[in-house]
Amino acid sequence: MGEESIYDLLPTVRQPEAKNPRYKSVFNETAKAEYKSHKQASKTMGPAKVPMNEPSSFMTKRAKEPVLPDKSQFVRPNADQKRPPVPKRDEKPVMGLKSNKNFIHTNAVENIMSVAKKPQPKYVDTPGGTTNNLEDSGLVPKFVKKDNYGTVPKYLESRKKQMAEHQKNYEQYIQQRLQKGALNQISAEERQKTLDGLKKNWEELHLQYQGLSVVTDTAPKKARKERMEAEMKQLEKDIDTIEKHKIIYVTDNF
């Protein structure tokens, strides 16, 4: 048997894969507006076109010397934020102030109504007691708690649909060829008979192969050994092909 296969008779049409939509940032319009608002002259299109000075308005002596501002009284920037002055030694503090607040009762109520702080999970990985965060260690099963855990990916669903469609087209093609009489289905008896014959041929060839000389010192011995190995390999391939396929079709010119 050769390398022919019934699957090669079915014309395959390659379906174009759907591409994902092009990524577009949601900040596109904002970026454009900011770029236009900060646009400066002679930044991307060369120097700005400005009118030339008149010949009479030439630069005079000391024209570039800095002009100092007029003198004014110096005022500190935080002058209005000064702290109150230090009390004098003859001033006495206000005493006798009392509060009706029950601090013991208030603290007890706050502790009772407060929510207990959950300790951060950690693990120890050294004999010295070095602790590390458990969340970042990879020991916590985070992936199994995701919403999409256990769902079939989209690409597998699309691949399953494609395989089902190809199988349907193949079955329709086989039915058409069977109706035209171009293909004939081998019965189970003929298939088993062919399989038994191939196995018997392999056993006989293998028996002959075992009787060959161990030393292949001449060209005819080497050629015979290579020929028998190639025949055994081809028989093994044919046996494997028939065992894999329960239903086999043959053409009229088989």
Side-chain angles (χ1 to χ4, degrees), residues 3 20 50 71 88 101 109 127 141 151 153 164 197 221 227 246:
E3 299 292 338
N20 296 329
V50 295
K71 293 182 179 181
K88 299 179 180 180
K101 182 178 180 181
V109 172
T151 58
K221 290 183 180 180
R227 177 178 58 80
K246 301 298 181 182

Side-chain angles (χ1 to χ4, degrees), residues 1-8 184 186 190-199 201 230-251 253-254:
M1 299 179 69
E3 299 292 338
E4 297 181 358
S5 176
I6 192 64
Y7 296 103
D8 298 335
N184 295 323
I186 297 178
E190 294 179 356
R191 174 180 173 276
Q192 187 64 32
K193 186 177 180 180
T194 304
L195 186 61
D196 295 340
L198 291 174
K199 290 182 178 180
N201 293 340
E231 292 178 359
M232 291 174 61
K233 188 175 181 181
Q234 183 63 37
L235 287 172
E236 291 174 358
K237 188 175 182 180
D238 296 341
I239 292 171
D240 185 60
T241 303
I242 294 177
E243 287 180 348
K244 284 183 178 179
H245 301 87
K246 301 298 181 182
I247 302 175
I248 300 176
Y249 297 96
V250 295
T251 59
N253 56 355
F254 178 70

Side-chain angles (χ1 to χ4, degrees), residues 52-67:
M52 302 297 291
N53 296 332
E54 297 293 335
S56 59
S57 60
F58 55 87
M59 185 179 298
T60 58
K61 186 178 180 181
R62 298 181 179 178
K64 289 189 176 183
E65 289 185 357
V67 179

Side-chain angles (χ1 to χ4, degrees), residues 174-207:
I174 293 298
Q175 292 297 330
Q176 294 176 1
R177 296 298 297 269
L178 288 175
Q179 292 176 1
K180 293 180 181 179
L183 293 177
N184 295 323
Q185 181 178 353
I186 297 178
S187 61
E189 296 178 356
E190 294 179 356
R191 174 180 173 276
Q192 187 64 32
K193 186 177 180 180
T194 304
L195 186 61
D196 295 340
L198 291 174
K199 290 182 178 180
K200 184 177 180 181
N201 293 340
W202 184 89
E203 291 177 358
E204 294 177 356
L205 191 61
H206 185 258
L207 184 62

Side-chain angles (χ1 to χ4, degrees), residues 86-100:
V86 179
K88 299 179 180 180
R89 62 180 181 179
D90 54 350
E91 294 181 357
K92 296 182 180 180
V94 180
M95 302 179 68
L97 296 177
K98 294 183 180 181
S99 176
N100 297 327

